[in-house]
Amino acid sequence: MSEIAVGLLLHEKEHPAPAGHPENSSRLRLIEAALRDGLKRCTYEPLAPSSHGLEPIVRVHWDTYVQSVQEACQTGDGYLEPDTFVTSGSFQAASAVVDASLSGVDTIMGAGPNSVFVLGRPPGHHALAHRAMGFCIFNNVAIAAQYALDHYGLTRVAIVDFDVHHGNGTQTIFYDRDDVLFCSTHRAMFFPWSGYPEERGAGKGKGFTINRPLMAGDGDREILGAFTDSFIPALDKFAPELLIVSAGVDGHLLDPLGGLSVTNSAYREIGQTLRSTADTHCQGKILSVLEGGYDPQGNLESITSYLEGLALS
């Protein structure tokens, strides 16, 4: 195997969680330390994000919603909806993950490296155009996909989401469009209670949404089967110019919320599979953005394995 450099974007903005909330800073502590120390098996290149302002965010989210988030954060600690908290620093924290994601697109479409991983919080794939949901304030991958289409003249961007929870926000944002292919594997009959196989898109977007739900307790065979049987054939047909990944690792067998039994081996194979697909269709251009994952040790193991899959070809 040969090594391929993976760019890393880490952000450290304040977004302290209420006591007992699973989406807290401890979930990233072990993997942040490991990445800063340097992982032994792969080559990683730290990158510095730059500011992109609010324009890319309001291309996806309603400007009235963005304003309401700003105002909520100015008033101090509170909730945008029952699961999604904010503090005085949460607008800056959520914007920083967006900036890191967009800087990842700039890096990939520019001088490289062609593969970038964004490690930050809060996550984003449940956020709808008009409201927060499920710990998510801004939809990082959706904003990155729209930015790539707007700023780099792309016509085909694919998003693959392997978080244990369905990326309902991302799906809804692109549901009636044919310039973004959305593929999601997730636990069935589970929050946010969407992502059924019959949800395939609408209008000219019909057929550009693919959902492969898993059952509670499913593991490596089932999640890898979603890629082999559904996602890779669809990606090969679509031939994306950029691949974006909602890399949620709460399907890991150690995760306290997910209820699946995915192992490190499967996350490594997913990384290899996605990297190979990106190599085939878009010169290896692949942006991965962390979503869920709520066990610090499980996150360390699964993210490290996924990164090894991306970096070793």
Side-chain angles (χ1 to χ4, degrees):
M1 288 187 175
S2 60
E3 289 188 358
I4 301 169
V6 176
L8 293 172
L9 286 158
L10 313 181
H11 100 84
E12 303 173 340
K13 298 293 183 181
E14 287 296 316
H15 181 57
H21 199 288
E23 205 296 286
N24 61 71
S25 60
S26 69
R27 61 186 283 252
L28 304 186
R29 197 162 294 145
L30 294 179
I31 184 63
E32 282 181 334
L35 292 174
R36 293 185 192 285
D37 290 344
L39 298 174
K40 299 293 188 290
R41 293 191 58 197
C42 309
T43 300
Y44 299 108
E45 181 179 331
L47 304 171
S50 57
S51 176
H52 292 74
L54 294 182
E55 180 187 357
I57 297 177
V58 298
R59 285 284 291 130
V60 168
H61 292 285
W62 295 5
D63 55 358
T64 52
Y65 167 65
V66 175
Q67 182 178 352
S68 73
V69 175
Q70 286 181 300
E71 292 172 351
C73 294
Q74 288 169 359
T75 63
D77 297 355
Y79 281 81
L80 298 176
E81 55 91 41
D83 292 322
T84 309
F85 66 88
V86 292
T87 69
S88 59
S90 295
F91 187 85
Q92 288 76 19
S95 299
V97 184
V98 170
D99 280 331
S101 302
L102 301 185
S103 296
V105 174
D106 291 336
T107 298
I108 290 165
M109 300 304 298
N114 285 345
S115 181
V116 171
F117 184 86
V118 176
L119 183 76
R121 50 179 293 272
H125 70 154
H126 295 309
L128 297 155
H130 65 294
R131 70 180 180 94
M133 186 175 182
F135 312 163
C136 302
I137 298 174
F138 298 140
N139 196 311
N140 307 305
V141 296
I143 295 168
Q146 189 63 56
Y147 177 79
L149 294 166
D150 289 344
H151 288 264
Y152 291 99
L154 304 187
T155 59
R156 297 182 310 280
V157 175
I159 300 174
V160 175
D161 188 330
F162 57 82
D163 191 279
V164 76
H165 303 98
H166 179 238
N168 62 303
T170 311
Q171 173 176 294
T172 301
I173 288 165
F174 297 115
Y175 201 62
D176 60 354
R177 291 170 51 172
D178 61 2
D179 53 353
V180 176
L181 173 69
F182 177 67
C183 302
S184 177
T185 182
H186 48 271
R187 181 176 159 186
M189 298 175 286
F190 198 50
F191 181 87
W193 317 107
S194 57
Y196 295 96
E198 57 267 28
E199 296 170 21
R200 301 186 62 247
K204 68 178 182 179
K206 189 75 170 178
F208 291 88
T209 293
I210 300 173
N211 286 300
R212 277 291 300 267
L214 309 177
M215 300 306 295
D218 281 354
D220 294 5
R221 181 175 63 87
E222 291 81 10
I223 196 169
L224 293 174
F227 282 82
T228 302
D229 301 338
S230 298
F231 298 169
I232 301 308
L235 289 164
D236 287 341
K237 181 178 179 181
F238 186 67
E241 297 163 300
L242 173 66
L243 178 56
I244 299 177
V245 183
S246 273
V249 294
D250 40 5
H252 191 272
L253 56 86
L254 294 179
D255 196 90
L257 301 185
L260 297 183
S261 54
V262 183
T263 71
N264 303 330
S265 176
Y267 285 113
R268 185 177 294 105
E269 186 168 341
I270 289 171
Q272 290 175 320
T273 298
L274 291 174
R275 183 60 193 241
S276 176
T277 300
D279 285 343
T280 298
H281 296 293
C282 49
Q283 299 81 48
K285 294 180 172 64
I286 177 169
L287 172 70
S288 302
V289 182
L290 182 68
E291 298 285 0
Y294 304 99
D295 180 83
Q297 183 63 36
N299 292 350
L300 172 64
E301 295 178 9
S302 52
I303 294 170
T304 299
S305 297
Y306 175 69
L307 287 170
E308 288 177 351
L310 288 178
L312 297 173
S313 67

